[in-house]
Amino acid sequence: MSETITLETAKQLIDAAERKAEEIGVPSVITVANPDGNMIAQHRMDDAWLASVNISRNKAYTSAALEMPTHELAEPSQPGNSLYGLQTTDDSRIVIFGGGFPLERNGEIVGTIASSGGQVDEDMTVARAGIDQFQTLTH
């Protein structure tokens, strides 16, 4: 079985991401998943869009399933490119825009974090606050 982050760590990452979301004024849904893409924890801030619940969860899933940040899928999945239509696969769970990131320890993915609720760059900023917290916990 692969190593995974704990619920306690997931809550700390979500707290850090939520602080960033509050700072930039973007009510968000933040999800942390294990390396298999299964949710460990999810938090919906007051006034966050209902649609962001599934979007955030699917961003976390996508980062685990494809072992990469979701924003790296935007260009290759455009019409005419090699991954065109990717978002329609895997029961339409694949998200091809930013906001989902793998969490790595010793070169191995131990979880993912994702945010949804704002523009793509805002979602990425919120999720990166969780990544920053993860890095402080692992060093």
Side-chain angles (χ1 to χ4, degrees):
M1 183 172 164
S2 16
E3 185 181 354
T4 187
I5 62 172
T6 64
L7 175 59
E8 185 55 40
T9 297
K11 292 192 291 188
Q12 291 177 48
L13 306 186
I14 288 171
D15 287 346
E18 182 179 8
R19 285 191 300 275
K20 178 56 77 174
E22 287 173 347
E23 179 185 313
I24 65 173
V26 178
S28 300
V29 178
I30 303 138
T31 303
V32 176
N34 70 14
D36 297 324
N38 295 312
M39 183 171 47
I40 296 172
Q42 185 177 63
H43 179 75
R44 180 180 179 213
M45 295 173 64
D46 291 340
D47 300 320
W49 293 328
L50 180 59
S52 290
V53 172
N54 282 335
I55 295 169
S56 176
R57 184 173 182 186
N58 287 341
K59 286 179 182 182
Y61 170 81
T62 300
S63 283
L66 299 178
E67 300 178 347
M68 63 191 318
T70 57
H71 69 272
E72 291 181 7
L73 296 167
E75 185 181 335
S77 60
Q78 295 299 311
N81 289 338
S82 63
L83 297 179
Y84 178 63
L86 178 67
Q87 70 276 18
T88 65
T89 66
D90 202 1
D91 294 324
S92 297
R93 290 187 70 188
I94 302 296
V95 177
I96 59 168
F97 50 89
F101 296 90
L103 299 168
E104 295 185 25
R105 182 182 298 137
N106 300 322
E108 191 172 318
I109 295 175
V110 296
T112 63
I113 186 166
S115 177
S116 178
Q119 307 233 351
V120 170
D121 62 324
E122 293 168 327
D123 290 351
M124 291 172 68
T125 296
V126 170
R128 282 183 174 132
I131 294 168
D132 291 345
Q133 179 66 28
F134 179 72
Q135 291 173 341
T136 64
L137 295 173
T138 58
H139 289 97

